Amino acid sequence: MNVNELKHKGLKKWVDEAVALMTPDSVEVCDGSQTEYNHMIMVNIAAGLATPLNAGKLPGCVLFRSDPSDVARVEDRTFIASEKESDAGPTNHWTAPADLKQTMSSLYKGCMKGRTMYVIPFSMGPVGSDIAKIGVEITDSAYVVANMHIMTRVGTKVLDVLGQDGFFVPCYHSVGKPLAEGQKDSGVWPCASMDKKYISHFPETREIWSYGSGYGGNALLGKKCLALRIASVLARDEGWLAEHMLILKLTNPKGEVKYVTGAFPSACGKTNLAMLIPTLPGWKVETVGDDIAWMKFGKDGRLYAINPEAGFFGVAPGTNYDSNKNAMEACKKNSIFTNCGLTEDGDIWWEMIGQGAAGQEVIDWKGNLRPSPLKDKSLKGQEIAHPNARFTAPARQCPCIADEWDDPAGVPISAFLFGGRRPKTIPLVNQAKSWVHGVFMGSIVGSEVTAAVISDQVGQVRRDPFAMLPFCGYHMGDYFQHWLNIGKKSDPEKLPKIFFVNWFRKNAEGKFIWPGYGENSRVLAWIFDRCNGVTDNAVDTPIGFLPTISAIARPDGVSEADMKEILNVDIEGWKAEIADVRKNHYPKFGDKLPKELYTELDAIEERLNKA
Ligand code: GTP
Ligand code: SPV
Ligand code: MN
C-alpha cells in the first residue's frame, strides 16, 4: 500500500515527517498478508541475512545470525524520558525528552538512505477488542517486519479499526545503518555501535523511538516497549495492569478450570511454565500467553487477562522434547530462528536441544564452522547457539494453545505467581497471607540476571520487583502504590491469590534440587487447591503459607531431605534478605515507597525474630 492511501491524517503526517527526516529510498505500508511475509523473508535471503532451513524438516523456517554485539535487550541504553526525572524513578535511565529527541533526531537524519521504510500498523490484542491498543512502527528492517507479522496482528485490518482519528502509539525504529550508493548488507546484520543505540520511551506523549539495534525487545516495539513500558503508564492512568506475565489455563482431574498468571524475570521460565505437560496424572495445562498479560476488571469484579501478543519470542537453548515439547512443535514450521546453530542438513541446533547435530560440522551463531558437538552443553563463551538465541513462532501453532487464547474478553485470573532464579533461601512455593503481603513480596523479588540482557551483572542476584525492573515505564514506588490501590478498590474474595515460586534452588554441588519443567505441575496443583479453599495442605510460617511436607508428592530423584530443604523457612537467610531490603532496596524509592510496605517489612521482621 502507498502512503498516500493512508486515511488517518495524524498517521499520514507522522509518516511524512519521518520520511523527510530519515530519507528512505522507498516507503511501503504493510498489509499483513502472507504474500508480504514471504516477500520479507525473500528480501532477507537476498541480502544474505537469512538462511532457508531444510524444508523437509522445518518448512517455512529461516535462520538469522545477528551481529555479535546485538544479541539481547540493552538496559543501559533504554530510557524513560518523562518530563520530570522523578517520574521515571530510581530504576530507570532518565533523559530530558527534548534533549533526547534532539540527540536522536540527528541520528535519525538520513538513517534510512539506501533502504526501504516499512510502515507497520499493528494491534496488541485481538483487532478491534476493547482491551487492544494500536501501534504503528516505522522500520528499515525487513527482519522486524517478518517478526512483527508473527508476534502481533499486522496490516490493513488494523488501519480499518484505526479509522481517520483513532489513537495509536507511534513507534520509530531504525537499525541505524544507512547504505551508500550501491552498498548492500551482504550478509552483515545491520546495527549501530552500543553508544549509538537508544531504546527510548516518552510516557507522557506515548511515543517510542528506537535506534541502532535490530534484536528482540529493542526492535519489535509492540512487545516490551509498547505492551509493558508504555502500557504500564496507560494502566496506571486507567486503573488496570500491564504485566510481564505468562497466562495459563489449568484443569484438574475433575475438569475444573482455573487461570493462573506468572511473573518471572527474563529467561526464568515463563514460556516453559505456560506450556508445561503435567507429570501429575489427570491434570492439564494450556497456554493463553507466555510473556505479557494485560488485566482489567470485569463487571463481576474479577480480573480478566488477555495476551496482547500473537506469537512467542522464546529462548531456544534448553528447549527440547523433554523440557518443552509444545514449544518444539510450535516452532517446527513458519518460524524464525535467530542466533541458533546450523547443521549440515539445514536443521537448527542449540545447547540442550536433546539430540546431536547431523553431519561432521555445524555453523555456530557467529557464522564459524565448528566440529559437530558431541555434548549437550558447551563451555561458557563457546556456545554453538547464543545463550539468548530465540525462536519466533505463531501462537496458533502451539499444540496446547487454549481455545480462549484470543478471546477479546480475556480469562478470569485465580492466582498470581512471582518468582526468579534463587539458588538459596527462597522456598519452592509460598503463599502470601494477604494482598498487601503479596505486594510486599512482589516488591522484593530477586533473581540472577540472565543472558536475555546485555549486562556485566549476568549470574548475580538483583532485585527485580514483579519481574518489571526493566519494563516499568514510571516510578517503581508509584507502581507499588498502583498495586496496593488495585487491592483497595476490590473485593478481596475476588482478587487473585498471590504465590511465590522458585524452581532454581541448588544443592551443595551446585545442581538444581527441584527437577522443574513438567514436575512444576505438582506445585500448580497445590496452588489450585489453595485457591479452592483447601486449608489442611499448608502451614502458617513467618513468611507465609507453605505446603506441609506431604502436600506435594515428591517427584523421582527428590529425596525427603531435599523436599524438607526446599520447603524450609531459612530463618537466617530471610533475616539477611529483609536486612538487605531495608538497607539497600527500599531506601532507593524514598518518599514514594508506600508506608504499608514498610509496615509489612516490620511485621515480617518481627515474625522472623520470634521464630
Ligand atoms: P523471556 O522470554 O526472556 O521472558 O523468558 P521466559 O521467562 O519465558 O523463560 P523460558 O521459559 O524461556 O526459560 C528460560 C530458560 O530457563 C530455558 O533455558 C529453560 O530451559 C529454563 N527453565 C525453564 N523452566 C525451568 C525449570 O522449571 N527448571 C529449570 N531448571 N530450568 C528451567
Ligand atoms: C525478555 O527479555 O523478557 C524477553 C525477550 O521476553 S525480549 O523480547 O528481547 O525482551
Ligand atoms: Mn520476557
Side-chain angles (χ1 to χ4, degrees):
M1 188 177 150
N2 189 292
V3 190
N4 294 321
E5 292 169 58
L6 289 173
K7 292 199 194 75
H8 190 293
K9 286 213 184 62
L11 174 58
K12 169 82 172 55
K13 180 164 173 278
W14 175 71
V15 173
D16 286 345
E17 283 165 9
V19 171
L21 178 64
M22 302 177 192
T23 62
D25 284 9
S26 57
V27 188
E28 283 175 26
V29 180
C30 297
D31 63 13
S33 65
Q34 183 65 41
T35 314
E36 178 177 271
Y37 178 85
N38 296 344
H39 178 61
M40 290 303 123
I41 297 296
M42 290 313 295
V43 165
N44 278 301
I45 293 172
L49 297 172
T51 308
L53 294 166
N54 183 328
K57 286 187 168 176
L58 295 161
C61 295
V62 287
L63 171 69
F64 284 81
R65 283 187 281 272
S66 80
D67 186 272
S69 69
D70 200 28
V71 292
R73 284 186 297 102
V74 283
E75 290 178 9
D76 284 348
R77 307 294 311 160
T78 298
F79 301 90
I80 301 295
S82 40
E83 290 296 334
K84 285 197 281 181
E85 181 168 6
S86 59
D87 287 337
T91 56
N92 284 312
H93 298 289
W94 177 83
T95 305
D99 294 350
L100 187 55
K101 284 195 170 172
Q102 196 175 18
T103 309
M104 289 188 74
S105 294
S106 52
L107 290 169
Y108 279 137
K109 196 166 179 217
C111 70
M112 294 193 185
K113 240 183 150 27
R115 298 188 183 276
T116 300
M117 173 190 279
Y118 302 100
V119 180
I120 318 170
F122 64 94
S123 175
M124 300 310 290
V127 178
S129 144
D130 289 351
I131 305 189
K133 299 277 181 213
I134 291 175
V136 182
E137 177 165 352
I138 276 174
T139 182
D140 51 9
S141 162
Y143 169 83
V144 165
V145 180
N147 276 271
M148 289 293 284
H149 261 247
I150 299 176
M151 294 305 297
T152 72
R153 285 105 170 154
V154 164
T156 318
K157 54 186 187 274
V158 179
L159 290 178
D160 292 343
V161 172
L162 191 60
Q164 296 193 0
D165 52 10
F167 168 77
F168 69 98
V169 177
C171 314
Y172 279 163
H173 173 254
S174 171
V175 293
K177 196 175 176 207
L179 296 170
E181 192 78 31
Q183 194 190 357
K184 292 198 171 96
D185 283 322
S186 305
V188 181
W189 171 277
C191 64
S193 60
M194 192 56 90
D195 59 318
K196 294 213 171 61
K197 292 191 211 290
Y198 287 87
I199 319 300
S200 305
H201 308 74
F202 303 91
E204 282 105 356
T205 49
R206 327 291 200 212
E207 291 169 283
I208 299 163
W209 286 23
S210 167
Y211 183 91
S213 168
Y215 206 91
N218 300 333
L220 313 177
L221 302 184
K223 198 174 180 53
K224 299 300 157 77
C225 299
L226 195 164
L228 288 177
R229 298 194 191 96
I230 295 294
S232 62
V233 174
L234 299 173
R236 175 201 61 190
D237 294 349
E238 298 166 6
W240 51 283
L241 294 167
E243 301 297 328
H244 191 205
M245 288 179 172
L246 68 100
I247 312 166
L248 65 82
K249 175 182 181 182
L250 183 60
T251 309
N252 76 359
K254 287 189 208 153
E256 293 169 347
V257 170
K258 289 192 195 302
Y259 299 92
V260 174
T261 67
F264 314 143
S266 303
C268 290
K270 288 181 300 301
T271 302
N272 278 268
L273 192 71
M275 296 179 192
L276 79 72
I277 300 176
T279 51
L280 273 186
W283 289 78
K284 189 157 91 180
V285 166
E286 291 159 276
T287 313
V288 177
D290 84 322
D291 198 51
I292 298 175
W294 284 357
M295 289 172 282
K296 290 189 178 168
F297 286 99
K299 288 204 183 69
D300 60 0
R302 296 189 66 188
L303 264 180
Y304 284 75
I306 68 151
N307 171 10
E309 302 189 278
F312 310 123
F313 185 62
V315 177
T319 307
N320 60 56
Y321 271 91
D322 284 332
S323 65
N324 193 348
K325 178 169 180 245
N326 288 313
M328 294 298 282
E329 293 283 328
C331 70
K332 74 178 189 192
K333 57 182 181 189
N334 312 318
S335 296
I336 297 170
F337 295 90
T338 310
N339 287 346
C340 301
L342 176 65
T343 69
E344 277 178 16
D345 65 345
D347 201 350
I348 34 89
W349 195 89
W350 53 67
E351 279 65 21
M352 306 286 282
I353 197 170
Q355 63 191 41
Q360 302 294 306
E361 288 176 316
V362 292
I363 299 176
D364 70 11
W365 71 274
K366 289 182 180 163
N368 296 323
L369 214 50
R370 304 260 299 265
S372 274
L374 299 171
K375 286 196 309 248
D376 244 4
K377 285 193 181 152
S378 303
L379 289 176
K380 208 166 178 290
Q382 293 177 31
E383 293 88 356
I384 304 285
H386 186 276
N388 191 41
R390 299 260 169 177
F391 56 83
T392 318
R396 65 185 139 75
Q397 288 184 184
C398 183
C400 65
I401 197 80
D403 287 340
E404 52 278 58
W405 84 274
D406 58 354
D407 183 346
V411 295
I413 303 303
S414 295
F416 288 146
L417 274 47
F418 293 100
R421 291 177 180 260
R422 293 298 300 267
K424 292 199 277 273
T425 311
I426 311 299
L428 177 65
V429 59
N430 171 23
Q431 183 185 357
K433 290 170 186 277
S434 66
W435 181 264
V436 181
H437 181 223
V439 173
F440 164 76
M441 297 281 281
S443 77
I444 69 165
V445 164
S447 185
E448 289 172 346
V449 180
T450 67
V453 45
I454 298 177
S455 163
D456 45 20
Q457 290 182 311
V458 172
Q460 293 169 30
V461 173
R462 71 170 178 187
R463 299 269 164 223
D464 188 345
F466 294 77
M468 283 289 278
L469 180 73
F471 307 123
C472 184
Y474 59 103
H475 195 298
M476 188 63 88
D478 289 336
Y479 171 88
F480 298 159
Q481 187 62 56
H482 180 56
W483 267 80
L484 292 170
N485 293 348
I486 292 277
K488 270 181 210 146
K489 70 174 192 193
S490 322
D491 175 351
E493 290 302 309
K494 291 183 178 163
L495 280 172
K497 306 276 177 284
I498 305 182
F499 299 84
F500 298 85
V501 296
N502 180 18
W503 320 135
F504 300 97
R505 280 286 285 266
K506 287 186 175 164
N507 63 17
E509 286 94 63
K511 292 235 164 68
F512 291 123
I513 299 174
W514 181 251
Y517 303 103
E519 301 292 11
N520 295 336
S521 58
R522 295 168 194 274
V523 176
L524 291 179
W526 183 79
I527 289 168
F528 191 105
D529 290 344
R530 292 294 297 169
C531 292
N532 255 356
V534 178
T535 51
D536 62 1
N537 57 355
V539 279
D540 194 353
T541 81
I543 58 167
F545 297 106
L546 262 71
T548 58
I549 197 73
S550 57
I552 294 179
R554 279 190 281 124
D556 284 347
V558 178
S559 69
E560 195 172 338
D562 289 338
M563 205 67 191
K564 279 196 177 136
E565 186 175 345
I566 59 180
L567 290 181
N568 176 40
V569 182
D570 170 4
I571 300 287
E572 291 314 309
W574 273 97
K575 282 185 182 165
E577 190 78 10
I578 294 304
D580 178 61
V581 169
R582 196 182 287 287
K583 184 162 175 270
N584 301 312
H585 183 48
Y586 273 6
K588 285 193 296 246
F589 306 103
D591 291 351
K592 297 250 190 184
L593 200 283
K595 299 270 172 304
E596 282 143 292
L597 297 186
Y598 270 118
T599 309
E600 283 296 320
L601 185 69
D602 294 342
I604 189 169
E605 187 167 55
E606 201 181 311
R607 294 197 295 268
L608 287 165
N609 285 336
K610 278 198 207 139

